[in-house]
Amino acid sequence: MKRTTLLLLILVFSICSLTKSQQLNLMPWPSELKVGEGQFVINKNLRIGVDGNPDKRFHPNLVRFIQQLSKRTTIPFDRDSVLTSSSTASMMIKINRSGIVKLGEDESYILKVETGKITLSSETELGAMHGLQTLLQMLDRNKDFFYFPCLEIIDKPRFAWRGLMIDACRHFIPLEVIKHNIDAMAAVKMNVFHWHLSEDQGFRVESKVFPKLHQLGSNGEYYTQIQIKEVIAYANERGIRVMPEFDIPGHATAWMVGYPELASAAGTYKVEKFFGVFDPTIDPTNKETYKFFEKFFKEMAQLFPEEYMHIGGDENNGVQWDKNTKIQEFMKKNGIKSNHELQAYFNGNLLKILQKNGKIMIGWDEIFQPTLPKTIVIHSWRGRESMEESARKGYQSVLSNGYYIDLFHNCSEHYLNDPLPADSKLNTEEKSRILGGEATMWAELVTGESVDSRIWPRTAAIAERLWSPATVKDVDDMYRRLDAVNLLLEETGIQHIKNREAMMRRLCNGYYIEPLRVLADAVEPLEGYDRHGSQRYTTEFPLSRVADVALSDAPDFVRFRLCFNDYLKTKNRDSYSKMMEYLDKWSNNQQEFYALASNNVALKEALPLSDNLAELANVTRKLMIQFNSGIKNSAAETNAIRIQIEKLNKPVAEMELPLFKFTLDLVGKLRNGEKEE
Ligand code: ACM
């Protein structure tokens, strides 16, 4: 064979493999993947054998895998014969040793799918469990059968700490919701569930030692110790650590409802209804405070086996400390020059208590104080700089800045937020101190009903950032895969799609919701803290308006943009036609939505948004036709269009149109070269 022919063949082969692997809907994307030829066909003769020494948690995971495979393929596997001896197995799982659910445990696996044979091998069952999730994501079908495509994967996490925090305080999050979120985490290979359990708005754990904490501090909504143990066992079986957070000394009003003596100001306290930063702060100068925490953390250390204990530490405004003469005298006497130093003194005392109970202390940025030993871990929420600063000073850290999923940002922003970007100035040793990251679901604007649709699917993209190699960062490919993984996530029990539909039925007061769905799939809630700008939310708001069914990445708009990007790259006519279909759908929806909403007080507030969407879609359609034919606009024409669309950019009922920015960009692309007047 001539050299050029060979090169050409290699090139064609690599393009084919690339195209094929890009069609796989894996998330997180594996560290190494080689696409093969052919398929492993799934039929009732599937036989799975397990060799080696897995922990007992592997068996229920394997059973769930088979059940899920059975549901999806509709094949009724015979339970007695699927699990078999290794000699007759078509799918062989080899696990070297029993794993421990703790930071840094080996989670790697190797998966080889060949025609007629699957081999999954790993050091611990935690790796094999990830491999099973990968297989479930790979499942495909044609008109005759279900199959796994042949391939070889060598996979391991980039970061050891891949977490999701759920704030169960500002709104109580029911136990079942917590549990199915743990299943969804496992589906995307996350391994830390950070449970935010105390706040101004609620103390959410039963304490037998200090029962007034949950009895008076929770409005009756808390987890019993039996429930907590149930969640810990549930998570452990899925390879997930459960780290509690008790946020002190600030964000602590709920503690003081039952135990006002903990506060730095005398008085009676009520569970807070509003959101923000409040004055009630633990008194760090009172010896009784530490006697209280000695007993409290002993109880909680026994309840939560996880070795890390999160003590919060954020946003202490110092108001009660400044006003308390006894505290001021204590500071003077002990040479404590600032509230930050006083908080470090408090943390130092807490640290001793935690260490006595075998725990490692972790807290938000504010606990960082060079007087504290290097064993504490900094959880960075205020900025990457503070995380890097602590890494330079010798502290380990976890990143949440950039992963605030409560703020309704687009998924791409979180996805591109790398704890260790390519241009990081940290040296190798400092880099090794960055343990990973956590998506943070603060609960001002979510309830048990809506929380899943705020966490997912965006958290799957964060899971990929924390698991996959840094070079995996093609945003369009992420959105394409996310759309598919989103649907699979439903099988874990999360209610992100179901509950949203139910909320829409409630808003429509009937079964027919299509016009609302079309609108809701094209609009987004206001980002950042902007939703709080229109009214002062409290814990009592039902969060059941149209804005509460709008998603941070409007799904139809995301699909529309993917079509546009594909059209830009390939001039694919299909993509162009699909875009036009979306634009038609949005403009045609105006009348339908009017018919549904004009006489419905719950929907009426969204009417102007529907009108704006229709007008913007009409403008965009014209511009697309122009773009397709290469006709440019003069500066004056460009200005006129900008003025026309600018008025469609006003927030309506705490929502906005992502199409606006797209159209504005398109207007820019269509401008001819002449100077603007
Ligand atoms: C925080 O967001 N205050 C940790």
Side-chain angles (χ1 to χ4, degrees):
M1 201 184 299
K2 283 216 308 235
R3 213 176 114 84
T4 44
T5 322
L6 182 67
L7 280 176
L8 201 67
L9 270 179
I10 291 173
L11 187 72
V12 169
F13 178 76
S14 17
I15 289 170
C16 288
S17 339
L18 196 70
T19 323
K20 269 203 259 167
S21 67
Q22 275 177 348
Q23 288 315 310
L24 283 166
N25 293 321
L26 300 178
M27 187 167 281
W29 195 253
S31 41
E32 285 178 49
L33 183 149
K34 243 196 296 178
V35 178
E37 285 297 323
Q39 297 131 345
F40 177 97
V41 176
I42 299 157
N43 55 36
K44 63 180 184 353
N45 299 324
L46 177 74
R47 294 290 174 271
I48 304 177
V50 182
D51 240 7
N53 300 295
D55 180 86
K56 66 177 182 351
R57 75 170 62 81
F58 188 63
H59 183 73
N61 281 282
L62 187 56
V63 170
R64 274 195 295 278
F65 167 80
I66 296 165
Q67 286 168 340
Q68 222 169 322
L69 203 58
S70 177
K71 259 194 220 166
R72 250 204 274 152
T73 58
T74 69
I75 298 171
F77 293 116
D78 180 331
R79 292 216 182 134
D80 297 330
S81 48
V82 172
L83 293 178
T84 186
S85 70
S86 40
S87 58
T88 53
S90 47
M91 172 169 165
M92 196 55 231
I93 304 172
K94 295 175 193 160
I95 295 167
N96 200 25
R97 68 171 169 88
S98 172
I100 303 171
V101 181
K102 70 188 284 250
L103 181 68
E105 178 58 292
D106 193 315
E107 299 177 85
S108 65
Y109 67 93
I110 297 175
L111 174 66
K112 197 166 175 188
V113 180
E114 299 165 279
T115 314
K117 188 159 193 270
I118 295 176
T119 319
L120 172 60
S121 36
S122 62
E123 175 65 12
T124 72
E125 74 286 347
L126 301 172
M129 282 152 55
H130 292 319
L132 294 179
Q133 298 293 352
T134 303
L135 272 171
L136 286 172
Q137 290 185 346
M138 281 165 49
L139 180 66
D140 209 342
R141 70 184 76 186
N142 57 31
K143 72 179 181 28
D144 297 317
F145 52 82
F146 288 88
Y147 63 91
F148 296 123
C150 289
L151 50 62
E152 198 173 336
I153 285 174
I154 302 176
D155 205 5
K156 63 176 186 333
R158 179 171 168 224
F159 292 102
W161 192 304
R162 306 176 306 281
L164 165 65
M165 186 214 76
I166 296 182
D167 167 8
C169 302
R170 289 178 173 89
H171 282 94
F172 182 66
I173 306 296
L175 194 78
E176 284 312 308
V177 180
I178 298 290
K179 281 164 83 175
H180 61 229
N181 269 282
I182 286 171
D183 281 303
M185 288 173 69
V188 294
K189 304 179 173 53
M190 296 185 104
N191 64 1
V192 184
F193 171 54
H194 169 175
W195 211 348
H196 186 81
L197 287 167
S198 79
E199 255 306 330
D200 299 300
Q201 295 81 4
F203 189 95
R204 302 298 185 193
V205 185
E206 176 192 22
S207 169
K208 295 189 198 288
V209 181
F210 297 110
K212 283 190 284 180
L213 282 173
H214 66 276
Q215 284 167 358
L216 301 182
S218 73
N219 293 323
E221 291 183 308
Y222 63 89
Y223 309 103
T224 64
Q225 294 205 356
I226 289 174
Q227 289 174 323
I228 298 267
K229 285 180 190 159
E230 188 183 323
V231 168
I232 293 168
Y234 193 86
N236 183 283
E237 190 181 289
R238 287 151 183 80
I240 292 172
R241 298 157 47 201
V242 177
M243 176 180 71
E245 177 183 348
F246 297 100
D247 200 352
I248 40 179
H251 283 292
T253 310
W255 300 72
M256 293 149 189
V257 184
Y259 300 92
E261 61 274 23
L262 289 171
S264 302
T268 52
Y269 290 84
K270 280 209 312 234
V271 173
E272 185 57 63
K273 275 191 202 176
F274 289 98
F275 302 123
V277 173
F278 302 95
D279 296 346
T281 308
I282 305 284
D283 183 350
T285 65
N286 185 348
K287 284 200 174 60
E288 297 303 315
T289 297
Y290 300 105
K291 285 190 194 151
F292 181 97
F293 284 127
E294 283 270 1
K295 290 191 198 146
F296 175 78
F297 279 112
K298 185 168 177 217
E299 181 184 22
M300 291 304 141
Q302 280 165 5
L303 183 60
F304 291 91
E306 164 61 24
E307 63 179 333
Y308 288 79
M309 177 72 81
H310 204 300
I311 56 132
D314 56 320
E315 297 184 306
N316 164 16
N317 70 9
V319 170
Q320 283 198 343
W321 289 359
D322 292 339
K323 285 188 184 159
N324 182 322
T325 47
K326 202 177 88 316
I327 290 177
Q328 294 305 310
E329 277 163 24
F330 178 91
M331 288 170 74
K332 221 182 273 164
K333 194 164 134 221
N334 291 283
I336 297 172
K337 291 186 214 58
S338 65
N339 285 340
H340 185 58
E341 280 184 27
L342 183 58
Q343 188 164 337
Y345 164 81
F346 174 68
N347 290 339
N349 288 333
L350 280 186
L351 181 64
K352 283 183 215 139
I353 295 173
L354 295 191
Q355 282 172 337
K356 222 191 286 176
N357 288 288
K359 299 293 177 192
I360 301 173
M361 184 161 115
I362 169 168
W364 300 106
D365 282 321
E366 290 91 329
I367 74 159
F368 176 58
Q369 236 290 351
T371 52
L372 290 173
K374 306 277 191 283
T375 48
I376 67 166
V377 177
I378 309 301
H379 191 167
S380 180
W381 72 281
R382 292 195 298 198
R384 163 182 309 284
E385 302 72 28
S386 62
M387 181 186 74
E388 290 178 354
E389 172 71 0
S390 33
R392 274 193 204 94
K393 297 238 160 78
Y395 294 84
Q396 291 187 316
S397 61
V398 172
L399 182 67
S400 273
N401 178 266
Y403 300 132
Y404 266 43
I405 49 175
D406 59 313
L407 296 183
F408 306 106
H409 291 304
N410 293 145
C411 189
S412 53
E413 288 180 40
H414 303 305
Y415 185 61
L416 295 175
N417 180 51
D418 194 322
L420 282 174
D423 61 357
S424 167
K425 303 273 185 308
L426 299 181
N427 66 31
T428 311
E429 198 186 347
E430 290 158 356
K431 279 182 183 162
S432 74
R433 296 188 186 119
I434 312 293
L435 299 174
E438 275 187 16
T440 36
M441 184 69 252
W442 298 106
E444 284 91 342
L445 295 181
V446 293
T447 61
E449 181 177 51
S450 62
V451 69
D452 292 352
S453 72
R454 297 324 191 192
I455 298 175
W456 307 101
R458 285 177 302 159
T459 295
I462 296 174
E464 173 157 296
R465 177 55 48 238
L466 299 171
W467 175 284
S468 307
T471 48
V472 178
K473 56 178 183 191
D474 180 329
V475 168
D476 279 1
D477 189 48
M478 176 275 285
Y479 273 119
R480 185 191 62 72
R481 287 179 288 123
L482 193 66
D483 210 16
V485 167
N486 188 39
L487 208 53
L488 296 188
L489 281 169
E490 203 171 21
E491 291 178 24
T492 65
I494 54 168
Q495 312 278 310
H496 63 318
I497 300 173
K498 280 186 203 159
N499 280 4
R500 182 172 179 251
E501 299 272 315
M503 288 167 78
M504 287 199 270
R505 282 191 289 274
R506 189 171 56 212
L507 277 163
C508 294
N509 195 29
Y511 294 102
Y512 180 62
I513 61 170
E514 205 45 34
L516 174 59
R517 191 209 307 277
V518 171
L519 180 69
D521 281 355
V523 305
E524 292 176 358
L526 295 183
E527 285 190 29
Y529 296 99
D530 287 0
R531 283 194 66 185
H532 296 276
S534 61
Q535 57 192 324
R536 192 150 184 225
Y537 275 98
T538 71
T539 53
E540 284 162 343
F541 273 63
L543 299 167
S544 55
R545 290 166 65 197
V546 179
D548 298 297
V549 298
L551 303 172
S552 304
D553 288 276
D556 272 353
F557 174 73
V558 170
R559 293 172 194 132
F560 167 85
R561 194 181 50 209
L562 284 176
C563 289
F564 178 74
N565 291 348
D566 184 59
Y567 167 72
L568 267 192
K569 259 195 254 161
T570 63
K571 291 281 173 278
N572 180 337
R573 295 298 308 170
D574 272 2
S575 295
Y576 181 79
S577 308
K578 273 192 211 140
M579 281 184 74
M580 288 312 202
E581 280 168 26
Y582 280 113
L583 293 169
D584 289 346
K585 177 161 126 177
W586 293 330
S587 62
N588 296 339
N589 194 54
Q590 183 178 21
Q591 275 196 348
E592 306 281 329
F593 188 74
Y594 184 81
L596 186 72
S598 55
N599 199 24
N600 179 336
V601 62
L603 293 178
K604 232 168 75 180
E605 63 171 351
L607 277 171
L609 194 66
S610 171
D611 295 344
N612 290 352
L613 176 65
E615 187 173 344
L616 199 55
N618 290 337
V619 173
T620 313
R621 192 194 296 106
K622 269 197 222 146
L623 294 173
M624 273 313 300
I625 294 169
Q626 219 184 309
F627 187 77
N628 194 39
S629 54
I631 302 166
K632 297 274 181 177
N633 286 324
S634 67
E637 286 164 332
T638 302
N639 272 345
I641 304 169
R642 279 190 189 139
I643 290 166
Q644 185 191 359
I645 65 169
E646 201 63 59
K647 67 179 194 317
L648 308 174
N649 188 32
K650 272 206 218 78
V652 174
E654 300 177 19
M655 289 171 283
E656 60 191 351
L657 298 172
L659 182 62
F660 171 77
K661 224 170 138 287
F662 172 90
T663 308
L664 196 64
D665 283 352
L666 192 58
V667 174
K669 284 189 176 73
L670 281 170
R671 209 174 84 69
N672 68 18
E674 70 183 82
K675 281 215 174 91
E676 248 170 284
E677 283 139 41

